Amino acid sequence: MLPTGLKDTQLRESNSQKVHPQPMEEAMNQNPEAMEALISKIFTNISSLKSAYIELQAAHTPYDPDKIQAADKQVISELKNLSELKHFYRENNPKPACVSPQDSRLAAEIQEQQSLLKTYEVMVKKFQSEIQNKDTEIIQLQQQIEEANQKRIKLEKNLKLRGLSAKESEDSGLENGFFCVDLTPDLFTTTVEYAFKAIHDFSKPLINMMKAAGWDLDAAANSIEPNVVYAKRAHKKYAFESHICQRMFVGFQQESFGAKLDNLTANKESFFHQFLALKEMDPLDVLGQSPDSTFGKFCRNKFLLVVHQKMEASFFGNLDQRNYVMGGGHPRTPFYQAFLKLAKSIWLLHRLAFSFDPAVKVFQVKRGSEFSEVYMESMVKNLVMDEGDQKPKVGLMVMPGFWIGGSVIQSRVYLTGMKVAE
């Protein structure tokens, strides 16, 4: 056997002459600690790569661009480290002339790791593509936010515009702003019609949802106002309109409209300005800007008063919408948006009523009152009484009446015990 020093010298000379090296097993036997350290580094590197990949996945839920970028850098760094180990191994352990079974197993493992690396590279490219898509979405959302802010500024400007003349409105460049409106009895009459139509419109989806939920509409109508004799079963819809009206007009005769406000200061001009501010606007947009405004509190209070919790639970199977309203919110559900149209109409009518000097007075008609053509209007025109009966009696008040100056806007009533004229 050759001395150790002489053997090392011959090996160096053999390497310099580029002859086939000794088998892998012999090299590993010569320096098993170095080979074990290399393999340990490979396993450690792969573990770190897996950890970085998991962090890259986690950074997408929720989406965090900073964490994604950091994890991406870590994955690339680990891939580079693994590549350097591969090159180091190849440089120090060229392919042997004769491959032993042990070498074949190691080569297969290396091939497996190389395939895994390709998979990671594909995933990294995929995540990089997703990052670019998310960046594009962020830019689009920022543009939408900017547009929303511009719209908000415009709405705030419109809310501040009060009592402008026609020329001032034109000079200010208002496209969807306020038109010059004269405070006249005709304007109030038109607003009454708008409120009455809103009550009728909201009663339709309310009745339809009651039908869908399996309600007994006859029993429900009787619970609102018992012992009313209807000329037709279809006329029971007026009971639900009366129910809505009665609750929406609670507190109408007060300047505060029943709201609990501290240091309430109001004058005729401010009421008219509030009327103008809301007249041409979407109520949901207004509430989106000021959910806790006086109008916002009014909408919340009236919704909870008009729509009973048992009714809401039967409609939707839960009280999520009600709880959201009670918590100070204004949901964007179709049902609540339909209610907001009603709330806006009654709010406008109240603001306009207190814009006059003296203020418009509201009057209601009690059940059982004798019908008066001066103060009342029948909801159904072709009703007649049986011969020998007394004067027609009020069964339901569907819409209150108003005194404006020296004029009367009739209340709208349904007469009980009548029959349809043939």
Side-chain angles (χ1 to χ4, degrees):
M1 177 177 286
L2 294 174
T4 303
L6 179 58
K7 189 175 180 178
D8 293 340
T9 303
Q10 289 180 351
L11 287 174
R12 285 194 296 271
E13 290 176 354
S14 297
N15 287 336
S16 64
Q17 294 175 6
K18 299 183 178 179
V19 297
H20 290 295
Q22 58 191 344
M24 174 84 62
E25 183 178 357
E26 185 177 347
M28 290 179 62
N29 290 335
Q30 288 182 359
N31 197 355
E33 294 181 357
M35 183 57 64
E36 183 178 352
L38 177 62
I39 294 175
S40 178
K41 287 182 180 180
I42 292 174
F43 286 140
T44 301
N45 181 252
I46 292 174
S47 298
S48 299
L49 182 59
K50 290 182 178 179
S51 177
Y53 175 69
I54 292 172
E55 290 183 3
L56 183 60
Q57 286 183 312
H60 283 75
T61 308
Y63 184 78
D64 189 328
D66 294 335
K67 289 185 178 180
I68 289 175
Q69 187 175 7
D72 181 57
K73 289 181 179 180
Q74 184 64 24
V75 170
I76 294 174
S77 175
E78 296 299 338
L79 289 172
K80 287 181 179 179
N81 291 339
L82 193 57
S83 178
E84 290 175 359
L85 290 173
K86 179 183 70 174
H87 290 301
F88 174 79
Y89 173 79
R90 287 182 175 178
E91 289 175 359
N92 291 275
N93 299 276
K95 186 176 181 181
C98 297
V99 180
S100 65
Q102 292 84 355
D103 296 337
S104 298
R105 287 196 298 270
L106 184 58
E109 290 181 6
I110 293 174
Q111 182 63 39
E112 181 183 355
Q113 296 302 327
Q114 289 176 341
S115 300
L116 186 60
L117 277 176
K118 290 180 180 179
T119 302
Y120 285 142
E121 289 173 357
V122 172
M123 293 302 298
V124 168
K125 290 181 180 179
K126 177 184 177 181
F127 283 127
Q128 287 176 337
S129 177
E130 290 182 0
I131 290 171
Q132 291 177 352
N133 292 336
K134 292 295 184 181
D135 289 339
T136 301
E137 292 180 9
I138 289 172
I139 293 174
Q140 293 176 348
L141 290 173
Q142 288 174 341
Q143 291 175 349
Q144 293 177 7
I145 291 173
E146 180 63 26
E147 292 174 358
N149 285 334
Q150 292 178 358
K151 183 178 181 181
R152 175 183 59 79
I153 293 172
K154 183 177 179 180
L155 290 173
E156 288 176 350
K157 179 180 178 182
N158 288 347
L159 285 171
K160 293 178 181 178
L161 293 172
R162 297 174 175 181
L164 295 177
S165 65
K167 184 175 183 306
E168 288 174 335
S169 298
E170 182 179 354
D171 293 341
S172 65
L174 285 177
E175 297 177 357
N176 296 315
F178 309 130
F179 297 98
C180 182
V181 179
D182 292 330
L183 183 60
T184 64
D186 287 341
L187 174 62
F188 187 81
T189 301
T190 301
T191 308
V192 170
E193 292 297 326
Y194 174 64
F196 176 68
K197 183 178 183 301
I199 292 173
H200 175 72
D201 290 345
F202 182 70
S203 70
K204 288 182 177 180
L206 193 68
I207 294 173
N208 289 336
M209 294 180 78
M210 292 174 70
K211 289 180 180 178
W215 281 56
D216 184 341
L217 296 183
D218 294 332
N222 187 62
S223 67
I224 292 172
E225 196 66 70
N227 302 322
V228 175
V229 180
Y230 297 92
K232 286 185 176 182
R233 186 170 183 269
H235 291 174
K236 292 185 178 182
K237 66 181 181 180
Y238 297 120
F240 300 104
E241 293 184 17
S242 175
H243 166 82
I244 296 169
C245 176
Q246 292 284 359
R247 281 154 179 75
M248 291 303 296
F249 275 89
V250 170
F252 187 91
Q253 69 279 5
Q254 304 169 2
E255 286 189 353
S256 63
F257 211 159
K260 296 179 180 180
L261 301 175
D262 297 330
N263 301 323
L264 178 65
T265 58
N267 53 47
K268 305 301 180 184
E269 183 181 6
S270 67
F271 276 109
F272 191 54
H273 289 164
Q274 292 176 48
F275 170 83
L276 294 174
L278 185 61
K279 183 175 183 294
E280 303 296 335
M281 296 185 66
D282 186 327
L284 197 59
D285 289 339
V286 177
L287 296 177
Q289 298 174 47
S290 303
D292 293 323
S293 62
T294 306
F295 176 63
K297 295 176 181 178
F298 168 81
C299 292
R300 282 199 294 267
N301 293 338
K302 291 301 181 182
F303 179 82
L304 298 176
L305 188 62
V306 171
V307 184
H308 193 275
Q309 62 179 2
K310 290 184 179 180
M311 181 183 294
E312 187 172 350
S314 68
F315 290 169
F316 307 108
N318 56 62
L319 296 175
D320 293 348
Q321 183 175 233
R322 188 178 195 85
N323 293 333
Y324 187 74
V325 173
M326 293 177 66
H330 298 281
R332 293 182 173 270
T333 60
F335 184 71
Y336 191 74
Q337 291 186 57
F339 170 78
L340 288 182
K341 293 180 180 179
L342 167 64
K344 173 186 172 181
S345 70
I346 305 299
W347 176 264
L348 288 177
L349 187 64
H350 179 269
R351 301 293 101 172
L352 192 59
F354 282 88
S355 300
F356 287 87
D357 190 12
V360 175
K361 300 294 183 181
V362 61
F363 67 88
Q364 301 193 28
V365 179
K366 295 181 180 180
R367 179 191 171 186
S369 301
E370 290 187 359
F371 177 72
S372 168
E373 293 183 352
V374 176
Y375 297 102
M376 307 174 200
E377 178 183 354
S378 175
M379 292 297 302
V380 184
K381 304 301 180 184
N382 60 340
L383 294 181
V384 295
M385 297 185 62
D386 290 331
E387 294 181 2
D389 286 349
Q390 299 178 352
K391 291 183 180 182
K393 298 293 181 63
V394 174
L396 297 167
M397 185 197 72
V398 183
M399 183 75 178
F402 303 91
W403 282 298
I404 177 169
S407 303
V408 173
I409 297 178
Q410 295 170 310
S411 62
R412 306 188 189 196
V413 299
Y414 182 80
L415 303 176
T416 184
M418 307 288 284
K419 67 179 183 177
V420 180
E422 298 179 357

